[in-house]
Amino acid sequence: MKKVLLILLAIIVVLLIAVWRYLQPPAAPDSQAFLNATVLTMDADNSEAQAVYVEKGVIKNIGNNTEIKSLITEDTIIYDLQGKTLLPGFIDAHGHFPASGLAELGVDLNSPPIGTVENIDQLLERLQAKAAVTPAGEWVFGFGYDDTSLAEQRHPHKDELDKALPDHPIFLSHISGHMAVTNSAGLAIGNIDENTPDPVGGVIVKDANGKLTGLLEEEAALPMQIVAMDISPTGFLEMVRSASAEYAAYGVTTAQSGAVSSKFAQGIKLASMLNLIPQKLELWPLFNEWGDMLLQGESDADSFESDRVNVGAVKIIADGSIQGFTGYLSQPYHEPYHGDESYRGYPRVPLDELTDWVVKFSKAGYQLAIHGNGDASIDDIITAVAMARGAAPDKDPRTILIHAQMAREDQLLRMKSLNITPSFFSAHTYYWGDRHSQIFMGPERAARMSPTASAKAIGLPYSVHLDTPVTPMRPLIAVWATANRLSTGGNVIGAEQRVPVIDALRAVTIDAAWQIFKDGETGSIEVGKAADLVVLDSNPLLSPATVKDIAVSATFVDGVQIFSAE
């Protein structure tokens, strides 16, 4: 009997050791040498070099081939880059990892240039195909539909969803992520009818006769989203695996999950423990959910953190989306919304409530990242931050103003005085530039969207981002859009707001790292920093017009290769 017990104990020990080893992240090689490269360091002088030497995932030397070759030993792994370009890895300054993996679970309804859905019939056909393999009564959800990209120039209506998919509740998330459409079954599950009042910061949309259309804006959509997109643990891990692979293939070494709930944070913790996320990850707690739990001491950020996971800024969503007509403007939209020539959108969080949250988090020592698209919302954010600065002085709070899409010149100056740093969604000029000019903002205001050159002129630090899954995780498209400002129609959207490619590259590397207090660890190729690196097939500084088409050859995090094109 003793012998059997000893054998069982030995098996258990072996299994535990195997599991422990499986859960250990891959270790970096003892030494690596990157030779024959164009090294764009992104240091303070934008220095260039030819070669880099790395030990155990940390950059030790930068120089020419001869200098680095002198450090090579018989154990050094050598990468002959044959003239390719070596950069610090790209940092996702604002996004929603792993939501780009939704394609593993839901129906992709994106229109060109992202997807292929051009009209509502095609949208319905895709949903019907998904419904055919989904048990009756279970949710069918789609994502990425864009009403102004569809031939009909409108949102899908609950009645056509009822007719096309009579056996399922439906939830369709708008491309902006700030509204959704559901059908009668979905409305019934959400206990929404014609008499249901609009929530604060949201609208339950009705037609001229007071009948529900199925469209839910902002806070009105959130409760339904939580129910309809209640993803299983296995589904969540599928999303993580898909998104991690995509991010790695496009050179992302630090990903971000903005507006994270407590449940979502638990899922990320599990995925990280299973080594499904090779990137470093920034978690931004949602202010009135996990953020409030942290504030009240009901959750501990440290328990979610590791060498690769950091709990960073608390995210507040102050308004909505310009392309969804829910961004909060100081002047009316260019094309009247539903015929209302005075319509300016609305705040998702009213000013007094916003100020209260900002002051509370600031007093508690939290960094804040506040979403603001319209200039009226930006006014509110600046007012709230000014109040917080008086109540809780901080030498370097680095409050991040997410999107800052319609920021005016006077607002940029106030941001600088209050140590607010914008993160611009410059790719709007590509994906929505023509529609901003023709529908949402008009030519004059559209030309000033994401005003990177104005920020640079006054020395206001900024980053640029893609807000993935709103747009695909393609950092070089963000760089290209920031430098060129060309729309999908080939029109220039505000030539005066263009910046050089090197500035745009800094906005997805070192300046993005600075915003999250990681500039001492990553974001540039400098001695002592982590070997978070990306290899590009060509030098983006030599081809400003084609930066978005440059291929990623390899990606490294802490010296560990997480992607190779070969």
Side-chain angles (χ1 to χ4, degrees), residues 243-471:
S244 295
E246 179 186 21
Y247 279 47
Y250 289 96
V252 178
T253 54
T254 298
Q256 187 203 106
S257 289
V260 173
S261 69
S262 54
K263 180 180 179 181
F264 187 96
Q266 293 286 353
I268 286 291
K269 182 177 180 179
L270 173 61
S272 181
M273 288 173 59
L274 294 173
N275 291 314
L276 297 179
I277 308 172
Q279 291 85 2
K280 295 168 181 177
L281 186 60
E282 286 285 312
L283 301 184
W284 285 3
L286 180 61
F287 74 108
N288 56 358
E289 205 269 356
W290 188 26
D292 194 34
M293 293 171 66
L294 293 171
L295 197 63
Q296 302 302 327
E298 298 170 2
S299 181
D300 179 19
D302 290 345
S303 66
F304 294 88
E305 295 189 330
S306 67
D307 290 342
R308 289 182 291 173
V309 179
N310 180 62
V311 178
V314 172
K315 173 76 177 294
I316 299 176
I317 306 170
D319 77 338
S321 160
I322 300 294
Q323 58 265 34
F325 285 100
T326 58
Y328 183 33
L329 301 170
S330 63
Q331 300 297 320
Y333 279 82
H334 179 65
E335 185 173 286
Y337 184 57
H338 294 313
D340 183 354
E341 294 186 357
S342 66
Y343 179 81
R344 302 186 292 117
Y346 52 88
R348 184 159 170 164
V349 182
L351 177 57
D352 57 348
E353 184 182 341
L354 176 65
T355 302
D356 183 53
W357 282 110
V358 171
V359 169
K360 283 193 295 188
F361 281 115
S362 297
K363 282 184 175 180
Y366 287 93
Q367 184 187 19
L368 287 166
I370 310 175
H371 164 119
N373 267 311
D375 63 328
S377 182
I378 295 169
D379 277 333
D380 282 359
I381 293 166
I382 291 172
T383 298
V385 171
M387 290 289 290
R389 294 290 184 269
D394 190 318
K395 290 183 179 179
D396 190 14
R398 295 189 203 179
T399 300
I400 306 172
L401 210 163
I402 299 297
H403 307 321
Q405 189 175 166
M406 302 314 302
R408 306 184 307 262
E409 296 283 344
D410 63 297
Q411 291 176 326
L412 296 176
L413 289 168
R414 290 193 68 197
M415 287 183 212
K416 185 177 180 182
S417 70
L418 291 167
N419 291 322
I420 299 173
T421 172
S423 184
F424 295 116
F425 193 169
S426 299
H428 266 108
T429 55
Y430 175 59
Y431 292 105
W432 288 280
D434 291 329
R435 281 170 284 163
H436 273 265
S437 182
Q438 298 161 11
I439 300 173
F440 308 121
M441 293 290 94
E444 185 176 340
R445 283 185 292 178
R448 281 199 42 76
M449 62 194 291
S450 298
T452 47
S454 292
K456 177 184 178 179
I458 63 171
L460 177 62
Y462 65 87
S463 67
V464 298
H465 63 264
L466 291 155
D467 205 16
T468 304
V470 175
T471 62

Side-chain angles (χ1 to χ4, degrees), residues 120-335:
I120 288 177
D121 282 345
Q122 291 177 356
L123 180 148
L124 294 174
E125 287 170 6
R126 290 204 176 189
L127 293 171
Q128 287 172 325
K130 182 68 172 179
V133 295
T134 302
E138 291 190 8
W139 284 94
V140 171
F141 74 84
F143 60 92
Y145 89 88
D146 187 346
D147 55 308
T148 60
S149 288
L150 298 173
E152 295 84 355
Q153 292 285 291
R154 63 172 175 83
H155 297 275
H157 194 281
K158 75 173 181 63
D159 291 348
E160 57 197 346
L161 292 174
D162 289 347
K163 182 178 179 182
L165 299 105
D167 301 321
H168 299 80
I170 310 297
F171 184 86
L172 309 182
S173 180
H174 188 260
I175 182 68
S176 66
H178 283 264
M179 58 190 64
V181 172
T182 188
N183 61 350
S184 294
L187 291 168
I189 291 171
N191 294 313
I192 297 173
D193 60 27
E194 280 80 2
N195 298 314
T196 304
D198 291 335
V200 174
V203 176
I204 300 169
V205 177
K206 303 179 180 69
D207 63 20
N209 298 315
K211 300 296 183 181
L212 297 174
T213 68
L215 179 62
L216 306 170
E217 295 180 357
E218 301 296 337
E219 288 295 330
L222 187 58
M224 189 75 71
Q225 178 179 321
I226 292 170
V227 174
M229 299 178 68
D230 185 17
I231 297 167
S232 69
T234 55
F236 181 79
L237 294 180
E238 284 180 33
M239 286 175 57
V240 166
R241 190 177 288 108
S242 173
S244 295
E246 179 186 21
Y247 279 47
Y250 289 96
V252 178
T253 54
T254 298
Q256 187 203 106
S257 289
V260 173
S261 69
S262 54
K263 180 180 179 181
F264 187 96
Q266 293 286 353
I268 286 291
K269 182 177 180 179
L270 173 61
S272 181
M273 288 173 59
L274 294 173
N275 291 314
L276 297 179
I277 308 172
Q279 291 85 2
K280 295 168 181 177
L281 186 60
E282 286 285 312
L283 301 184
W284 285 3
L286 180 61
F287 74 108
N288 56 358
E289 205 269 356
W290 188 26
D292 194 34
M293 293 171 66
L294 293 171
L295 197 63
Q296 302 302 327
E298 298 170 2
S299 181
D300 179 19
D302 290 345
S303 66
F304 294 88
E305 295 189 330
S306 67
D307 290 342
R308 289 182 291 173
V309 179
N310 180 62
V311 178
V314 172
K315 173 76 177 294
I316 299 176
I317 306 170
D319 77 338
S321 160
I322 300 294
Q323 58 265 34
F325 285 100
T326 58
Y328 183 33
L329 301 170
S330 63
Q331 300 297 320
Y333 279 82
H334 179 65
E335 185 173 286

Side-chain angles (χ1 to χ4, degrees), residues 43 60 75-76 158 218 297 314 316 452 499 503 539 541:
D43 66 10
K60 292 296 183 180
D75 296 324
T76 301
K158 75 173 181 63
E218 301 296 337
V314 172
I316 299 176
T452 47
V499 296
D503 290 355
N539 185 348
L541 301 183

Side-chain angles (χ1 to χ4, degrees), residues 479-518:
V479 171
W480 172 85
T482 305
N484 292 277
R485 297 180 66 95
L486 289 174
S487 71
T488 53
N491 299 306
V492 177
I493 308 297
E496 66 280 1
Q497 291 299 335
R498 288 169 166 166
V499 296
V501 171
I502 189 67
D503 290 355
L505 285 169
R506 292 184 68 88
V508 296
T509 55
I510 187 60
D511 293 341
W514 174 85
Q515 282 188 334
I516 56 174
F517 294 93
K518 296 294 183 183

